[in-house]
Amino acid sequence: MRKGTADRVVGAWVIVGLLVSVAYPFLRDGTPVAAVFYNSFTVATLGAIVAGVRRNRPVQRVGWYVFAGAVGLRLCGDVTYEIYRQVLHLSPFPSLADAFYLGAFPLLVAGTLLVARGRLGRDWAGILDAAIISGGLSLVWWVFVIAPMAADASSPLLQRVIGAAYPALDLLLIALVAQLVIRSGRLTVSLGLLTVGMVALLVSDVLFQFMPTFAPEFEGVVAVGWLISNTMWGAAALDRSSRAPAPQPELQARGTTATLGRTRLALLAACTLLVPAVLFVQGLMIGPGKLNWLAIGVGAVVLFLLVLARTAGFVAQVQRQAGQLEELALCDALTGLPNRRVFEERLAGSVAAGNAQVAILDLDGFKDVNDRLGHAVGDRLLAVVAKRLAGALREDDLVARMGGDEFAVLLGAGSPGAMTGIVERLAAALRKPVEAGGHELLIGASIGSADGAGTRDAGEVLRRADIAMYAAKAAGGGRHRGYSDDLDARAGEQAKLGAEIRAALDLGQFRVVYQPIVSLPDGRIVSVEALVRWEHPERGLISPAEFIPVAEQNGLIVELGAWILRTACSQAVVWRNEFGEAGPQRMSVNVSARQLAEPGFTALVAEVLAWTGLAAHQLIVEVTETAVFGGGLAVQAVKDLHELGVKIALDDFGTGHSSLGLLQTVPVDILKVDKSFVDTITMAGRHAVIATALIQVSSGLGLMAVAEGVETAEQAAELYRLGYRLAQGYHFGRPVAEPDFLGTRVAVG
């Protein structure tokens, strides 16, 4: 049966049941017509449950049949009661009808628990919460209903026992409903309908205890709740969600943890306060001398123990989660090794003690493994390497993953010459081929080592080891190089620069500037491009063209790019709040090929957007043609970003090998026309042909085009004449920390 058909069946059943429930009070209670009307619907309910089980074939069908047995016993009780009343004109109490009614209670509870088995889970916190709620309500029910019935000496003993049995069994329903309502997780439609039916039954049972005494003329109205409960039970069995399988055993064993929100906390507090409330109310009603001290005392002790257990569980949960968070904060998730934070703390202690010996290892050829075989194989390789490095060290030594494919080793003790032996053991451990993803991989490492001689700065020790490692890599890789005083002077500029980039990140030497992107012809700033600058304390301003390639090569571009992204998105939100519509509408951030190939880059962007509050469509990610030309993971990352709602700009458009072909494979919103086409645009002849063609291509594809490198008013005017409506360049503003969004605009023409 199709889902839509099943939904119509459930809807029709509910409508019929509610009409029956509304119509019943208009019949005269106690007449044959009312009896036939009521019992006929109960028969229909029994049929609906059986039909639902046969239609949906639920995993917990035994529970549904037990539940149907409970409905059947209630039907037998109703029919027996009506025979006494309509045929024999008797009203015996207790009678055979009571046996049927009382027998239905345990079947209702057992059937519901069987049906819900696997969906309630081992939610011990939820069970305790339900126990507290049902315990408080049970105390009220016992003191004001059950105990007075049992103590009424004017009635025969059997009558008192049977009379008290009904509200006593209602306590089972109270506990069951509390567990169903308070449970963690999402109710299925079927279980939700079953719960609503149980609540309706409980409400009618409670009202039935008081109605004969306080409002006998409305006794027939109580049956409406029983009819509604039948309606919900039939719908629960008919609904397709009743077939849902129970969770897997491992998920059950893990269980769920009830969250202690405000509503639940208020409910638990109210139920706990029922003990003094009962004392107060009963004392006013019958006087302090006749209080049911035993019941109230037992209830108080039980509730105290339950609340104590719940509190202990909550404290244990907080401590467990705190321990997990601390472990996560100190551990690398992929390899299980200590992370950079742990390593730097231990290194600081070793430097202070004067026995620091450090080695930095960078895997040779790891980027090629990632590019050729994918990140899953690369991750497996890193995990195996980490295990081998840890196995090659002594008990007091420490190995940590510093990020990417870089590891660091800190010797626990030993003479200055001990490092040579350790490095040999590490290199030997890496010589064996690594089995990863069905591939046999040979991997080596460039290793640089240093000690703390002449310094008490842990950062300086790391810098020395980094320089030595880059020197080893520059010498061809697969080597070990120890730091010496003259290495700084003899090391290649690139090796020194790579080490200094790491230090610059730690010391906060980078800053972000923003170049306006304006609309033509009015020169209004519509967005800005974030650009990074490095203010070296000794060498002054270092050009991005000098340090970005180095950061790309050693992988630090991933960390640097993440910092730029967070900084730029945060600044965009600040400007939006400060300037409103006058501020930049979008923030543009450049992303390298290495970043796009990094696992979880899209998740990082989503995390930054959520953290800063910047809308996805207000972020532009700029990628170069070369970054996505090879396809693979980079293109997939761009597609994922686009699905996230981030705008994609193709930078330096027109200079690549297959610019137009990329527009068919990469989701692009913006084309940034390269400066080389803008420089000669005002010259006569064929110089403007390409720029004209590019604006026509972008217009035809529904893309925005941004002309880069505009330096003169003549260039801006010619671009506007050709159809360009967005431009960027020194003519409109240089990259600065705070562009003048409210200042004089550079208009065209």
Side-chain angles (χ1 to χ4, degrees):
M1 178 172 288
R2 293 174 302 174
K3 185 177 179 180
T5 305
D7 290 342
R8 286 196 293 272
V9 170
V10 174
W13 168 260
V14 172
I15 291 172
V16 170
L18 294 179
L19 289 175
V20 168
S21 303
V22 171
Y24 184 79
F26 294 98
L27 303 175
R28 246 176 83 195
D29 185 55
T31 63
V33 173
V36 171
F37 187 81
Y38 182 93
N39 290 325
S40 296
F41 186 68
T42 306
V43 172
T45 300
L46 194 58
I49 295 174
V50 175
V53 173
R54 299 189 57 166
R55 170 184 289 127
N56 298 322
R57 301 189 179 278
V59 173
Q60 308 295 349
R61 61 173 59 92
V62 173
W64 283 106
Y65 283 129
V66 171
F67 199 89
V71 175
L73 282 179
R74 289 179 63 83
L75 176 62
C76 291
D78 291 334
V79 171
T80 303
Y81 178 75
E82 294 300 337
I83 290 175
Y84 279 121
R85 187 163 63 164
Q86 306 290 343
V87 179
L88 303 177
H89 304 290
L90 298 173
S91 299
F93 180 75
S95 69
L96 180 60
D98 295 298
F100 289 125
Y101 287 139
L102 295 174
F105 277 94
L107 290 184
L108 281 175
V109 174
T112 302
L113 291 176
L114 287 172
V115 169
R117 187 175 61 184
R119 299 175 192 170
L120 293 177
R122 298 179 183 177
D123 179 12
W124 300 117
I127 292 173
L128 284 173
D129 290 347
I132 292 171
I133 294 169
S134 58
L137 296 176
S138 298
L139 175 63
V140 176
W141 197 235
W142 179 274
V143 170
F144 294 106
V145 179
I146 299 177
M149 283 186 177
D152 185 8
S154 62
S155 302
L157 178 61
L158 182 60
Q159 195 174 61
R160 280 185 285 160
V161 171
I162 299 298
Y166 280 100
L169 289 172
D170 279 332
L171 294 180
L172 283 177
L173 296 184
I174 291 175
L176 178 62
V177 168
Q179 173 62 7
L180 290 174
V181 172
I182 210 72
R183 66 180 293 279
S184 296
R186 184 175 60 87
L187 285 170
T188 63
V189 174
S190 176
L191 194 55
L193 291 169
L194 202 67
T195 302
V196 172
M198 203 63 67
V199 171
L201 172 68
L202 180 59
V203 170
S204 286
D205 279 1
V206 171
L207 292 176
F208 187 74
Q209 304 296 330
F210 299 100
M211 203 66 76
T213 303
F214 299 103
E217 66 275 14
F218 294 109
E219 188 172 343
V221 179
V222 177
V224 171
W226 293 325
L227 290 169
I228 291 176
S229 65
N230 283 343
T231 301
M232 297 298 110
W233 294 340
L238 290 169
D239 190 81
R240 302 293 284 185
S241 64
S242 66
R243 70 162 65 175
Q248 297 300 317
E250 61 267 25
L251 296 181
Q252 280 190 2
R254 188 185 307 164
T256 55
T257 302
T259 54
L260 202 59
R262 292 182 179 179
T263 303
R264 178 174 290 200
L265 189 60
L267 187 58
L268 294 176
C271 290
T272 305
L273 291 174
L274 284 175
V275 173
V278 168
L279 278 171
F280 182 75
V281 173
Q282 193 180 35
L284 288 178
M285 292 174 58
I286 63 176
K290 298 181 180 180
L291 285 173
N292 193 338
W293 292 107
L294 179 61
I296 296 173
V298 170
V301 171
V302 170
L303 283 175
F304 173 77
L305 293 176
L306 289 173
V307 170
L308 187 62
R310 181 64 171 100
T311 304
F314 180 71
V315 171
Q317 174 193 340
V318 171
Q319 291 175 336
R320 183 172 61 254
Q321 291 176 341
Q324 291 171 347
L325 288 174
E326 183 177 0
E327 182 178 346
L328 289 173
L330 302 177
C331 180
D332 175 62
L334 176 62
T335 62
L337 294 179
N339 59 17
R340 173 179 287 273
R341 175 183 167 188
V342 176
F343 187 86
E344 289 179 346
E345 289 178 354
R346 287 275 300 273
L347 174 59
S350 296
V351 170
N355 58 357
Q357 295 191 70
V358 173
I360 299 292
L361 297 86
D362 188 83
L363 302 185
D364 298 325
F366 178 75
K367 184 178 183 300
D368 293 335
V369 172
N370 263 350
D371 292 344
R372 288 188 298 106
L373 305 178
H375 287 282
V377 175
D379 289 348
R380 174 60 183 159
L381 173 62
L382 289 175
V384 173
V385 167
K387 186 175 181 180
R388 289 187 182 179
L389 293 177
L393 295 178
R394 303 168 302 181
E395 184 177 352
D396 294 336
D397 299 334
L398 172 70
V399 59
R401 185 185 178 206
M402 304 297 277
D405 59 339
E406 186 177 288
F407 298 85
V409 172
L410 175 65
L411 300 193
S415 64
M419 177 61 76
T420 302
I422 293 296
V423 167
E424 290 175 356
R425 292 168 60 179
L426 294 174
L430 296 179
R431 288 194 191 106
K432 301 176 186 176
V434 175
E435 292 285 343
H439 302 275
E440 190 174 81
L441 305 174
L442 289 173
I443 197 76
S446 298
I447 306 175
S449 61
D451 58 30
T455 182
R456 286 292 181 265
D457 184 354
E460 172 63 16
V461 176
L462 272 180
R463 189 192 71 83
R464 293 175 180 179
D466 266 334
I467 287 179
M469 184 270 291
Y470 283 115
K473 188 174 285 289
R479 303 166 186 253
H480 167 227
R481 186 68 179 267
Y483 177 81
S484 58
D485 292 337
D486 62 343
L487 188 57
D488 280 321
R490 293 190 294 106
E493 183 63 25
Q494 191 178 55
K496 290 174 59 179
L497 197 60
E500 289 177 344
I501 290 174
R502 171 73 268 163
L505 276 168
D506 294 336
L507 298 173
Q509 294 174 0
F510 291 103
R511 62 185 179 91
V512 178
V513 293
Y514 305 90
Q515 184 172 33
I517 299 172
V518 305
S519 61
L520 300 179
D522 57 6
R524 181 174 60 89
I525 298 177
V526 295
S527 58
V528 293
E529 179 181 356
L531 302 168
V532 66
R533 296 290 184 264
W534 182 6
E535 294 181 345
H536 195 281
E538 297 175 359
R539 301 167 59 184
L541 194 65
I542 300 179
S543 168
E546 186 176 350
F547 68 81
I548 289 295
V550 178
E552 281 266 11
Q553 182 181 357
N554 62 25
L556 287 175
I557 191 66
V558 175
E559 185 177 345
L560 177 60
W563 175 80
I564 295 170
L565 179 68
R566 291 190 183 94
T567 303
C569 290
S570 299
Q571 185 62 66
V573 173
V574 170
W575 283 334
R576 184 186 63 190
N577 295 334
E578 181 178 354
F579 296 105
E581 293 297 324
Q585 300 171 11
R586 292 187 174 93
M587 173 62 70
S588 188
V589 178
N590 291 279
V591 172
S592 71
R594 186 73 177 261
Q595 288 175 272
L596 290 174
E598 189 72 12
F601 178 70
T602 304
L604 169 67
V605 174
E607 175 191 335
V608 170
L609 291 174
W611 174 65
T612 60
L614 186 68
H617 71 273
Q618 294 176 316
L619 174 63
I620 301 172
V621 166
E622 293 193 19
V623 298
T624 61
E625 296 177 23
T626 54
V628 293
F629 179 74
L633 296 173
V635 171
Q636 186 58 52
V638 170
K639 291 179 179 178
D640 293 341
L641 288 171
H642 199 260
E643 290 180 3
L644 193 65
V646 174
K647 301 296 182 183
I648 304 298
L650 203 55
D651 200 9
D652 301 332
F653 185 75
T655 61
H657 299 288
S658 182
S659 298
L660 295 178
L662 285 176
L663 299 181
Q664 297 178 334
T665 58
V666 179
V668 177
D669 303 289
I670 302 165
L671 299 182
K672 301 198 73 176
V673 178
D674 188 69
K675 182 180 185 298
S676 60
F677 303 120
V678 175
D679 287 341
T680 58
I681 200 169
T682 58
M683 297 182 183
R686 27 189 318 201
H687 297 286
V689 172
I690 296 179
T692 303
L694 292 179
I695 190 62
Q696 291 173 347
V697 168
S698 62
S699 298
L701 296 177
L703 308 177
M704 292 186 289
V706 179
E708 294 186 288
V710 180
E711 297 183 351
T712 67
E714 291 76 16
Q715 290 175 342
E718 180 64 14
L719 287 166
Y720 178 67
R721 188 187 68 79
L722 293 177
Y724 285 85
R725 296 297 177 262
L726 294 172
Q728 176 182 3
Y730 285 176
H731 178 62
F732 302 104
R734 292 177 177 270
V736 292
E738 288 279 345
D740 187 3
F741 300 111
L742 303 179
T744 303
R745 298 174 183 173
V746 181
V748 174

